[in-house]
Amino acid sequence: MKFNLKKNFIALTASFFIAAPTMSAPFTQGGTWYWDDADRHDTNGSYTNDDGIVRTQQAPSIGSDNERNNIRNKFDSAGVPWVEIINTPFFLGNDAPFANQIAAMDAVKNTADALANRPNTGPDEWQRAINPITVLWGPLQLDNARQEIADDIERTFVFRGNWNIDAPIYVGSNKTIWIDGELTYTGADTPHVGGAAFTPKGSKMHGVFTVRRKANAWDEDRGNIDENDWTSLGQNYTEPANIVELNKPLKESIENQPIVQNVTFLGSQRGKIKVELSTAQSNPQGNWARYDPDLKPRNPDGTLANTGQVIPRTNGIHFDHARNVVVDGVRLEGALNAIYVSSTFEVEIKNNFIDKSVFRGVHLHGSGHAADNLAFVRNNLITRNHWDGIDIDSHSARYRIEENVIIGADNRFLIWTEIDAHHNLIDNNVGIINLTQDSPVGAGGFQENGTEMNIGAQGTRWNTWQNNNIFNAREAKQGFLMRGTESNRVVQQDTVTWFNNYVWQQNRSMTTSNPKMDGIVDDVMYLWLNNDGNP
């Protein structure tokens, strides 16, 4: 961080107003403040006049050991690993620098309550309130029920017991799916279809549960389309010639396409969807080092190892061209993308525990809602992802991203917007940098990333970032960022709102960043434990 005469001690009051909370009162800090110079992540010293300033202050001592222990016990009862996540120096451990402050955040308290309050088990087959209930105890019952799961008749299926799934499960309309046991996907890898949303990294377009029509139902005029010959919005993949091309404008891509609607996934305390890693035997392309060198395993010193990263076989729950979908209280572990939402509308993703996703915890892709209060991602605990916690991607619009707790995005961002995402509200979330990670790329915080100039898009716009908190930041990249034009990204910066966001770091001398270039000091405020000698 640069220090100069701008760093004047000023007395400020807590009289500035905070936008009305959506779910609970946000954290605010009044009192007296310093002004410190801020470094914009994009400029790298070349645009010093645009760097701006931020408010900084001693971090308040809020919360208590009793409150923290109560929250730790709730996460523990919900199945969150105690040693690897809960009782660690970056989260709620006794030696965590911000343990009590983290525990005092409403997002953390409410997410702990949500996970702890999931039911112990799902319904039994004789509890027929509205629609028939079928309990599945293993692969044989599943194979006999696959056609009924894929049809559009209103039914409830309860997956109970601990067993393996050897092929994606297609889900049709009007279904309730209970995850009431540990389901491990051990089937063959689902197809690779090139880069996702203009990102030059491979992606797989299926999930353990796949909520979309099979490919041969998509366009009757193009002949018989093989199941593997399928692509999704944003894919530049046109061979063979009879594939339905969906990399067209959003409206055109969803016209007259069959949808799946009214699908709910519910999870019990003993439920889990787990995806095993690919193997050379199941997929010769399982070694993905040539596609993404940043995903290679790391040596103890943080340097890249020589072997490639073997990635998971498929996504967890995959929605495409669906409507009115809910994922509530499900635990997902080790998927490629834990929850993938593409061209899907009226979405509620809440109260889930997502761990160890390789690409994203939640990927919102091409779902532009026309009205508010139809799309929510709230009170999810998302931990130890290799790429992103929540990616608000490709024309996704009017999502409310509220009270999520995201810990450790290894190579990219905890929450970010990209590719023409617009009119989204990112409010009252908690992001936590994993102090134990040693990524060669470095983890980012929350970012308005924009759209690549070469694809001719409008850029991200009209997004609001407010009342969010990031803990354990060590560099500017790990706070709140917004791309500038010097990065060859398009962001309609004047339409993006930043307000009452906080970065908590151990030392004042660690680098700071203000996402706006006009020096507004209420955009992002920094709270530090140690003044480390600076005036």
Side-chain angles (χ1 to χ4, degrees):
M1 179 191 296
K2 303 185 299 297
F3 294 93
N4 61 22
L5 294 177
K6 285 183 181 178
K7 190 188 300 99
N8 299 314
F9 185 73
I10 61 173
L12 298 172
T13 69
S15 61
F16 57 91
F17 294 98
I18 304 303
T22 56
M23 299 180 68
S24 56
F27 168 80
T28 64
Q29 178 66 12
T32 56
W33 293 87
Y34 295 92
W35 281 2
D36 285 357
D37 283 346
D39 294 321
R40 278 180 50 76
H41 174 57
D42 280 353
T43 59
N44 295 322
S46 300
Y47 294 78
T48 55
N49 291 334
D50 294 333
D51 281 352
I53 53 178
V54 292
R55 287 182 178 178
T56 72
Q57 186 186 142
Q58 184 87 32
S61 298
I62 59 175
S64 67
D65 287 341
N66 287 338
E67 184 176 36
R68 176 169 59 92
N69 287 331
N70 181 46
I71 291 174
R72 294 200 302 180
N73 291 335
K74 288 181 179 180
F75 280 127
D76 186 43
S77 70
V80 180
W82 180 271
V83 174
E84 296 90 346
I85 296 177
I86 299 173
N87 193 37
T88 57
F90 57 88
F91 193 25
L92 297 172
N94 292 330
D95 53 349
F98 295 107
N100 286 354
Q101 289 95 332
I102 290 171
M105 296 289 113
D106 283 331
V108 176
K109 292 187 286 188
N110 293 339
T111 299
D113 285 339
L115 295 184
N117 290 333
R118 292 176 300 164
N120 291 326
T121 185
D124 291 308
E125 58 268 34
W126 55 81
Q127 298 175 359
R128 300 171 182 269
I130 299 176
N131 53 56
I133 295 176
T134 301
V135 177
L136 306 176
W137 287 96
L140 179 60
Q141 290 92 336
L142 170 60
D143 288 342
N144 290 335
R146 281 181 180 271
Q147 185 172 348
E148 291 184 342
I149 297 173
D151 68 25
D152 292 334
I153 298 173
E154 188 174 4
R155 310 175 196 268
T156 294
F157 292 89
V158 181
F159 286 74
R160 183 160 290 156
N162 302 330
W163 41 285
N164 294 342
I165 293 176
D166 60 4
I169 302 166
Y170 282 89
V171 180
S173 296
N174 308 311
K175 296 297 185 295
T176 298
I177 306 293
W178 273 92
I179 310 302
D180 195 31
E182 184 167 323
L183 309 177
T184 302
Y185 184 83
T186 58
D189 289 4
T190 54
H192 300 267
V193 293
F198 304 102
T199 300
K201 306 202 173 10
S203 192
K204 298 176 177 179
M205 296 296 129
H206 293 72
V208 180
F209 290 91
T210 302
V211 184
R212 68 167 171 84
R213 302 300 183 187
K214 289 191 176 182
N216 56 15
W218 281 54
D219 194 326
E220 297 178 357
D221 296 333
R222 296 207 181 188
N224 186 24
I225 302 175
D226 183 78
E227 167 57 21
N228 291 344
D229 296 338
W230 177 83
T231 188
S232 179
L233 178 67
Q235 307 298 328
N236 185 17
Y237 188 84
T238 58
E239 294 181 359
N242 64 346
I243 283 184
V244 179
E245 296 177 23
L246 296 181
N247 55 328
K248 299 177 180 180
L250 178 63
K251 180 177 182 296
E252 186 178 345
S253 76
I254 64 175
E255 283 182 341
N256 303 317
Q257 300 294 356
I259 64 171
V260 177
Q261 58 187 341
N262 307 324
V263 176
T264 297
F265 288 87
L266 300 172
S268 71
Q269 292 287 2
R270 63 188 185 185
K272 180 195 292 188
I273 299 172
K274 182 179 179 181
V275 179
E276 286 202 343
L277 292 175
S278 172
T279 66
Q281 290 73 29
S282 68
N283 176 23
Q285 301 298 322
N287 183 324
W288 273 55
R290 63 176 180 155
Y291 294 99
D292 188 358
D294 295 337
L295 286 178
K296 290 180 181 180
R298 293 184 293 279
N299 296 317
D301 63 358
T303 60
L304 293 179
N306 293 324
T307 57
Q309 169 74 51
V310 178
I311 65 174
R313 301 173 187 230
T314 193
N315 296 324
I317 301 174
H318 179 100
F319 296 99
D320 195 279
H321 283 76
R323 188 181 301 275
N324 189 19
V325 301
V326 176
V327 185
D328 184 355
V330 178
R331 179 175 179 178
L332 300 106
E333 180 179 311
L336 195 71
N337 301 286
I339 301 175
Y340 187 101
V341 179
S342 182
S343 302
T344 293
F345 306 91
E346 300 174 40
V347 176
E348 189 162 18
I349 299 170
K350 61 183 180 180
N351 311 330
N352 303 291
F353 172 34
I354 296 170
D355 192 27
K356 294 183 179 178
S357 302
V358 168
F359 281 8
R360 292 110 167 164
V362 176
H363 190 186
L364 308 174
H365 184 238
S367 302
H369 293 78
D372 293 332
N373 300 317
L374 292 176
F376 301 90
V377 180
R378 56 168 55 136
N379 291 120
N380 300 285
L381 176 64
I382 303 174
T383 61
R384 298 188 289 183
N385 291 290
H386 287 290
W387 269 18
D388 308 316
I390 300 174
D391 185 358
I392 310 166
D393 194 2
S394 287
H395 310 276
S396 293
R398 295 180 175 86
Y399 274 91
R400 298 174 71 95
I401 314 297
E402 302 171 330
E403 289 199 351
N404 299 281
V405 180
I406 305 100
I407 303 174
D410 212 17
N411 287 310
R412 283 210 306 207
F413 297 98
L414 300 172
I415 302 178
W416 65 324
T417 61
E418 57 169 336
I419 315 295
D420 275 18
H422 60 92
H423 290 92
N424 298 288
L425 173 65
I426 303 96
D427 185 16
N428 214 0
N429 300 278
V430 168
I432 299 172
I433 305 298
N434 182 352
L435 291 174
T436 64
Q437 78 176 32
D438 191 11
S439 169
V441 177
F446 293 1
Q447 174 157 305
E448 183 84 12
N449 192 56
T451 306
E452 292 89 341
M453 288 184 175
N454 63 348
I455 65 175
Q458 296 183 60
T460 56
R461 58 201 183 276
W462 295 109
N463 297 311
T464 297
W465 303 77
Q466 65 183 28
N467 307 323
N468 302 289
N469 290 267
I470 292 177
F471 291 88
N472 302 330
R474 291 168 290 177
E475 56 181 271
K477 178 181 178 182
Q478 295 175 339
F480 296 87
L481 310 172
M482 181 162 60
R483 292 281 197 177
T485 55
E486 67 275 12
S487 63
N488 295 317
R489 304 277 174 152
V490 181
V491 179
Q492 295 187 22
Q493 294 189 357
D494 290 342
T495 70
V496 179
T497 298
W498 301 83
F499 185 66
N500 198 52
N501 301 287
Y502 296 86
V503 180
W504 303 67
Q505 55 189 31
Q506 293 194 53
N507 297 307
R508 183 180 177 185
S509 61
M510 292 179 176
T511 57
T512 61
S513 175
N514 191 324
K516 298 282 278 190
M517 292 194 294
D518 54 12
I520 297 176
V521 296
D522 289 341
D523 298 337
V524 175
M525 290 162 276
Y526 280 74
L527 301 170
W528 28 260
L529 291 177
N530 304 303
N531 201 3
D532 58 6
N534 295 307

